[in-house]
Amino acid sequence: MTAFFSDARPTDYASAMKADRATYASFFRSMLASGVYFAPSQFEAGFVSTAHNDAVIDETIALARAALAGDRPAAIGPDRLGFAPRAITGRLRSR
């Protein structure tokens, strides 16, 4: 799974290259500052594992929403989620 910032869903190399890489880079840096480790390039795949429980996914969704809104949320620590480091990538489910 990966995230592309684009008006249209990428279906091939040419359409993937039209995605806004600067926006992805900003999103990546914001999430990294929050303690969520996405792939550094939108052209890399990411995976959700069985270590990602509902609490981790919910917290990641909240941090992603804040990042997309331009907020710089405080980093989350293992005391709140039970383990570290962790990685969440791909399509975020809506609540």
Side-chain angles (χ1 to χ4, degrees):
M1 293 186 288
T2 192
F4 286 92
F5 292 89
S6 178
D7 292 333
R9 182 180 182 166
T11 57
D12 56 20
Y13 178 77
S15 59
M17 291 303 292
K18 292 179 183 177
D20 187 342
R21 293 185 299 277
T23 298
Y24 182 87
S26 177
F27 174 76
F28 165 77
R29 285 189 301 272
S30 181
M31 295 300 286
L32 185 62
S34 299
V36 180
Y37 301 98
F38 275 80
S41 167
Q42 63 189 6
F43 300 103
E44 299 177 54
F47 305 91
V48 178
S49 77
T50 57
H52 301 114
N53 60 29
D54 285 346
V56 172
I57 292 170
D58 290 343
E59 187 75 16
T60 302
I61 290 168
L63 291 167
R65 286 183 175 144
L68 293 170
D71 298 334
R72 295 291 270 192
I76 54 177
D79 57 318
R80 291 180 56 201
L81 296 175
F83 66 93
R86 68 201 183 293
I88 297 277
T89 59
R91 191 173 134 245
L92 300 175
R93 63 184 176 162
S94 61
R95 288 275 180 188

